[in-house]
Amino acid sequence: MEQHRHWSYGTNGWGTPQKKNNEKIVQKLSIPSTGSKDHFRSCFSLSGWEQYKSCLWKQQLSYWRSPSYNLTRLMFAFMSSLIFGLLFWQQGKNINDEQSMFTIFGSMFSAVMFLGINICSPVIPFIATEKTVIYRERFAGMYSSWAYSFAQVTVELPYLLTVAFIFTVITYPMIGYYLSAYKVFWYFYAMSCTLMYFNYMGMMLVSLTPNTQVAAITASATYTLMNLFSGFLIPQPRIPKWWLWLFYLCPTSWTLHGLLSSQYGDIHEEITAFGKTNTVASFIEDYSGCHHDRLGLVAAMLIIFPLTFASLFAYFIGKLNFQRR
């Protein structure tokens, strides 16, 4: 028993000489021989693509086992879609004057802000928890931060598209917009991109801030700017020129431009607005600055915003480390 104790703790007997010998061997083998080259291209055992697939598989399981996060936002999308549909029941084609036009514009604005904020806010604490996992696995050398973060971005897509699909299927016929494959696609596309850039914006803020509280406060300030410069409270022609750059940087302004122009930019029915007779298309151009012939640019900008936010999230999550040492 005494002999076994000496062997285990390495303080006397057999343990000490063997330990010293092992240390000499480790020191000798750690020095590369003259003229040798490092044949390892990366510190990771897997290629970038294999790391991405492994992280995506793990994230998919994690999301499937998080009903408090995913099921909640799906149920919320269903209930809010019913509420919006009932509030603006069959108002889509009931355009007679400027007030009816403002009602429709208001329904689009409220839906964008309401759904967007309620998509962005829950993702902040969830990603803050995942950020700790990214730090741990990056330190352990298991995965690169790029593979993990892009897998995090990808795994969100099916849920966001499902929310956009639920909202489109419920609200489009209930509000009574013009039934056209082109207009339905634009409605779904605009809402999908909107949910994506709100979601990825929340993820980006988590990567830029040290904790959940700071990220939530920063997000609240961002909501205010996205609300103010969306083009609804202050239409684009009435925004002072020295603030117009914020209007073009605001993603919600492009969403409302896409929704309003795609639905009514080609409608030439006459309405009475502010005591003058005008077509629907001309009215939205004059009042809100939304032009139907700019929908190509709007489509590009709507996809650029989520791609930018997702890329910034991936970059900063790898470059910034807020862990206490």
Side-chain angles (χ1 to χ4, degrees):
M1 181 64 70
E2 186 68 25
Q3 186 182 36
H4 177 69
R5 185 180 297 111
H6 291 330
W7 172 263
S8 301
Y9 290 100
T11 53
N12 296 301
W14 304 332
T16 302
Q18 187 174 9
K19 177 183 177 183
K20 290 181 178 179
N21 185 45
N22 288 341
E23 287 177 348
K24 288 180 181 178
I25 294 174
V26 169
Q27 266 188 340
K28 181 179 179 181
L29 295 178
S30 64
I31 302 173
S33 57
T34 305
S36 63
K37 296 182 180 179
D38 186 2
H39 296 284
F40 295 102
R41 298 180 180 179
S42 170
C43 62
F44 302 106
S45 60
L46 299 175
S47 65
W49 175 246
E50 292 298 326
Q51 291 180 55
Y52 170 76
K53 290 197 298 183
S54 298
C55 291
L56 185 60
W57 172 78
K58 182 174 66 172
Q59 291 288 358
Q60 185 269 333
L61 288 178
S62 175
Y63 270 57
W64 185 252
R65 295 168 183 173
S66 303
S68 59
Y69 173 56
N70 289 306
L71 187 60
T72 300
R73 58 179 174 175
L74 292 177
M75 292 300 299
F76 175 82
F78 177 77
M79 296 302 297
S80 58
S81 299
L82 287 177
I83 293 172
F84 276 109
L86 292 172
L87 281 174
F88 302 100
W89 179 264
Q90 297 301 311
Q91 295 295 312
K93 297 178 185 177
N94 188 22
I95 308 297
N96 302 312
D97 51 19
E98 73 277 3
Q99 188 57 54
S100 56
M101 196 71 246
F102 293 157
T103 300
I104 288 299
F105 199 13
S107 71
M108 295 175 177
F109 167 75
S110 55
V112 167
M113 293 304 302
F114 190 73
L115 282 178
I117 291 173
N118 283 279
I119 283 291
C120 182
S121 297
V123 81
I124 290 176
F126 188 83
I127 298 300
T129 304
E130 291 291 328
K131 185 167 69 170
T132 306
V133 180
I134 296 177
Y135 287 155
R136 182 191 66 196
E137 298 196 352
R138 184 177 63 186
F139 177 78
M142 295 182 65
Y143 308 108
S144 69
S145 58
W146 285 95
Y148 202 99
S149 55
F150 279 128
Q152 185 80 59
V153 167
T154 306
V155 78
E156 287 279 352
L157 283 175
Y159 297 95
L160 297 174
L161 293 176
T162 302
V163 171
F165 178 78
I166 291 171
F167 182 79
T168 301
V169 168
I170 295 176
T171 60
Y172 200 92
M174 290 183 72
I175 298 178
Y177 290 115
Y178 292 91
L179 192 58
S180 162
Y182 167 80
K183 294 180 184 294
V184 172
F185 170 77
W186 250 105
Y187 193 82
F188 174 74
Y189 175 77
M191 290 307 301
S192 298
C193 292
T194 300
L195 297 178
M196 282 191 284
Y197 68 63
F198 266 103
N199 188 276
Y200 296 150
M201 183 187 72
M203 295 167 62
M204 180 191 68
L205 293 177
V206 171
S207 68
L208 283 169
T209 52
N211 52 54
T212 307
Q213 291 77 17
V214 178
I217 293 170
T218 309
S220 299
T222 308
Y223 300 153
T224 304
L225 291 176
M226 296 174 80
N227 190 330
L228 185 60
F229 291 97
S230 64
F232 176 73
L233 298 178
I234 308 175
Q236 183 265 335
R238 292 169 175 78
I239 296 177
K241 291 183 179 179
W242 53 88
W243 286 115
L244 204 55
W245 60 275
L246 259 178
F247 170 82
Y248 291 114
L249 281 180
C250 183
T252 50
S253 68
W254 295 96
T255 298
L256 293 180
H257 190 157
L259 289 172
L260 198 62
S261 295
S262 62
Q263 292 297 324
Y264 300 102
D266 57 350
I267 304 300
H268 299 287
E269 297 178 3
E270 291 188 346
I271 61 172
T272 302
F274 301 114
K276 298 179 181 179
T277 302
N278 207 346
T279 63
V280 174
S282 298
F283 174 75
I284 65 172
E285 286 184 12
D286 297 337
Y287 179 79
S288 61
C290 298
H291 298 266
H292 188 262
D293 56 358
R294 297 179 186 173
L295 281 177
L297 174 62
V298 174
M301 292 301 297
L302 283 177
I303 198 62
I304 285 173
F305 281 112
L307 290 176
T308 302
F309 291 152
S311 300
L312 289 175
F313 163 73
Y315 177 78
F316 288 118
I317 205 73
K319 294 297 182 180
L320 301 180
N321 190 338
F322 293 102
Q323 284 183 316
R324 294 180 179 179
R325 298 182 182 277

